Each structure stands twice: as C-alpha cells, then as structure tokens.
Amino acid sequence: MKILFSPSEAKKPTPNPLNSPINSIICDRDEILQKYYDIVNSQDESILGDIFGVKSTSDIAKIKNLMMQKIYHKAILMYDGVAYEALDYLNLDEVASRYIDENLLIFSNLYGVLKAGDYVQFYKLKQGKKISQIDSAKYYKPRLDKILDEILEGEDILDLRAGYYDKFYSIKTPYITMKFLKNSKVVSHFAKHYRGLILRDLALNKASNFDELMQIKFPNLSLLEIRKTKLKSELVFEISDDC
C-alpha cells in the first residue's frame, strides 16, 4: 500500500544529514530548482521573505544559512508540522520506520514528490507561491503523471493529502481517503493531527492493503460511514469528545 501525504511549511534541520542527495523518484526538476536557487542567491530580502513565507531579517538569514550548507536532510525528519509531530517518526521501531521510508510519498512544492526516506537540501517555500512565475502544480503535473502511475500500479492507495496537492497528481485507480468530524463538523487542525496518528498506526501494524487498514482500530476515532464516488472511497470518522 502506498500513502500519499502533504508536506509542511514548517521545517527543521535533521540529525545525521548526508553529504549527497537521495532522490528515489526521478523526474525533471532542473528548471524549477534553478529558478528557486537563483532567487535564494539574490540579496532582495522582500523577495526572499515572500517566497519563504517569513518577515524578519533574522529568519531570512537563518533559512539562507541552512540552505547554503550543501547538506541533505531526510525528508520525513525535515518536515515539522502537526501531522509529522503526531507521526513521531524517531520513536518508531526499525520495521515501522522502514515501512514509512518505503511507502510514504510526500508531495512538495519544490521537489514534486519525495519518498519519505529521500534526502534533499533544506528549503523553505510558501504553499502556492510561484517560483519566478512558475506554478509548481502546473510544472509537475505532466512530469509526475507517468512516473506515479508506474509507482502506484498494482498498489492499494491511501490519499491523505490536503486538497491543494490534488493539483500535482490525479489518482487513476480506486483509492481510499479520509474525512474527520468533531461534533459532526469537519475539522482542519485536528485532521492534520489525525492523519499523522493514522500514518503511525499503519506503520506499527504494517498494513499492506485496504483489508488490513480496515482491521485497525484507530484510537479516538469512530467510523461513521464510507462514501463512494467513482474511484474514491471516503472513510468518514467522528473524533471522540475525550481527545
């Protein structure tokens, strides 16, 4: 089973970085990366602050310093948002962490898509921000279609991406997604948290297909219904009041 996931704008340096990259999903990134680093190498703080999504001079300088070190960080550890905190990757056992490395596909505004175990340079890019007039989603959509079709062929697919990343790749075979309600209302912050927790439980249970996913009892979640539309089966969960 392959799991499609969102990145996070929050990022951090990782323990044990490498001196060379690992990009296991090969696609044409040359133009967008060159444009991005042309901007990074500029001295215009207003442009840098806009593309990084930060305001202070010290934050801009800190990000540039991390990027100029030419070391490569493990993707799953570099991302630092709510979902990644809930996953708590560093405290997974070896088997569970290998499951994440091999089966999690993280969509990226800059790199298109990465396996969790890939190593890339530290970067900062505000979601939806164009890179020298290049729209990341439009740039990567034709480049990822064939590649991901091949990677996902014959796999059960769980799509835990935020809706924005649907623009990068459209799934062409049956797949599962999830929606989270609290007091019968759709939630966003809790959704990120629970996507991370679900990912952790999938890894701990080594779920390899839909049937095994459906056997897992996710804590504090009650399955209300399954909504089927075309290729998508949406699992609708209610978050219990005691969490």
Side-chain angles (χ1 to χ4, degrees), residues 4 18 21 31 46 49 51 54 59 64 67 69 81 83 109 128 147 152 169 173 200 204 212 229:
L4 312 187
L18 301 181
E31 181 184 5
S46 63
I51 201 166
V54 299
D59 285 341
K64 282 195 67 173
M67 294 177 64
Q69 291 176 14
N109 293 316
I147 294 167
L152 297 174
Y169 176 71
T173 56
R200 183 178 180 84
L204 291 172
E212 291 178 4
T229 55

Side-chain angles (χ1 to χ4, degrees), residues 13-17 73-74 77 90 119:
T14 65
N16 306 313
H73 302 271
K74 192 170 185 176
L77 292 175
L90 283 175
Y119 281 74

Side-chain angles (χ1 to χ4, degrees), residues 42-60:
S42 78
Q43 301 302 314
D44 190 325
E45 287 194 358
S46 63
I47 294 175
L48 292 174
D50 184 51
I51 201 166
F52 292 160
V54 299
K55 294 181 178 180
S56 76
T57 298
S58 61
D59 285 341
I60 292 169

Side-chain angles (χ1 to χ4, degrees), residues 18-30 32-33 37 71-76 78-79 101 104-106 108 110-123 140 144 147 151:
L18 301 181
N19 292 319
S20 58
I22 296 175
N23 286 171
S24 59
I25 301 175
I26 305 302
C27 68
D28 176 13
R29 301 182 174 104
D30 292 347
I32 197 168
L33 289 177
Y37 284 104
I71 56 176
Y72 299 86
H73 302 271
K74 192 170 185 176
I76 191 63
M78 180 176 65
Y79 294 111
D101 289 353
L104 186 69
L105 303 179
I106 304 171
S108 161
L110 184 60
Y111 287 95
V113 68
L114 299 165
K115 274 193 175 180
D118 286 354
Y119 281 74
V120 295
Q121 277 185 264
F122 187 90
Y123 75 97
Y140 277 116
L144 291 178
I147 294 167
I151 289 173

